[in-house]
């Protein structure tokens, strides 16, 4: 089964939590055009406060992407993994896996907050967005509205 995966990772500190900086951060894209990729690789886009949220694009082996994919015959089973386990917010109840038919895609979002060792440097935050399509799709598929949206973003104060 043909699968297209894009992982968009956005990271920031308290400097981008409010006001104009937060508005700028919240306006960054959560989907990009997918370049040609080798089999079993995902498109990886990283945006960080340190780089002015400028997208940095690359590729990662699917096994390094925080999403579980399983071919179930006529459907693709997709479940985002929560990593690492020590981040906030806690997720006691998670949504079930999504099962996609060919031509469908899911956008799955998870956010995290971390404190530095001993709390010296303050908190850091990140948002993982996993865009996963089943079957052959156009390179700009993730610029449209997803078939399924799973929003696991929680309070990270």
């Amino acid at each position: 089964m043909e699968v297209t995966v894009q992982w968009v990772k956005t990271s920031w500190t308290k400097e981008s939590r409010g006001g104009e900086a937060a508005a700028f951060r919240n306006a960054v894209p959560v989907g990009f055009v997918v370049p040609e990729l080798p089999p079993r690789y995902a498109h990886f886009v990283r945006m960080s406060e340190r780089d002015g949220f400028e997208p940095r694009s690359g590729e990662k082996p699917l096994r390094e992407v925080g999403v579980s994919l399983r071919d179930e015959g006529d459907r693709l089973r997709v479940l985002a993994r929560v990593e690492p386990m020590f981040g906030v917010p806690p997720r006691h109840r998670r949504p079930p896996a999504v099962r996609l038919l060919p031509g469908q895609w899911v956008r799955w979002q998870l956010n995290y907050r971390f404190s530095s060792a001993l709390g010296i440097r303050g908190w850091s935050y990140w948002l993982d967005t996993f865009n996963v399509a089943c079957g052959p799709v156009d390179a700009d598929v993730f610029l449209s509205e997803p078939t399924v949206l799973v929003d696991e973003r929680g309070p990270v104060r």
Side-chain angles (χ1 to χ4, degrees):
M1 177 175 290
E2 190 173 336
V3 178
T4 304
V5 177
Q6 182 177 79
W7 176 15
V8 180
K9 183 176 211 62
T10 308
S11 59
W12 64 97
T13 68
K14 66 179 182 176
E15 302 302 318
S16 294
R17 285 216 53 226
E20 288 180 33
F24 183 72
R25 173 183 48 85
N26 287 331
V28 301
V30 292
F32 294 85
V33 172
V34 181
E36 288 288 324
L37 296 167
R40 295 184 294 283
Y41 272 77
H43 181 216
F44 179 62
V45 180
R46 181 176 197 95
M47 294 179 288
S48 71
E49 173 186 88
R50 162 182 57 212
D51 298 326
F53 298 105
E54 185 69 29
R56 311 267 187 227
S57 187
E59 54 191 49
K60 290 221 181 246
L62 281 178
R63 70 182 181 286
E64 294 180 17
V65 177
V67 66
S68 171
L69 305 170
R70 186 168 62 211
D71 185 341
E72 293 185 337
D74 65 334
R75 294 178 188 260
L76 174 68
R77 181 183 181 274
V78 179
L79 180 65
R81 293 189 297 262
V82 174
E83 300 179 54
M85 298 305 283
F86 55 83
V88 171
R91 292 177 173 87
H92 304 291
R93 292 183 182 223
R94 302 227 25 243
V98 171
R99 288 171 173 79
L100 301 173
L101 291 168
Q104 296 181 328
W105 71 279
V106 61
R107 173 169 289 145
W108 201 308
Q109 294 187 293
L110 295 141
N111 64 339
Y112 302 90
R113 181 191 77 200
F114 302 95
S115 63
S116 64
L118 304 174
I120 295 169
R121 289 191 326 232
W123 291 344
S124 62
Y125 305 85
W126 87 51
L127 171 65
D128 280 334
T129 300
F130 300 104
N131 297 315
V132 180
C134 177
V137 293
D138 293 331
D140 64 352
V141 63
F142 300 136
L143 301 181
S144 63
E145 290 298 314
T147 310
V148 179
L149 174 63
V150 180
D151 187 347
E152 279 197 87
R153 293 177 292 174
V156 290
R157 295 179 206 158

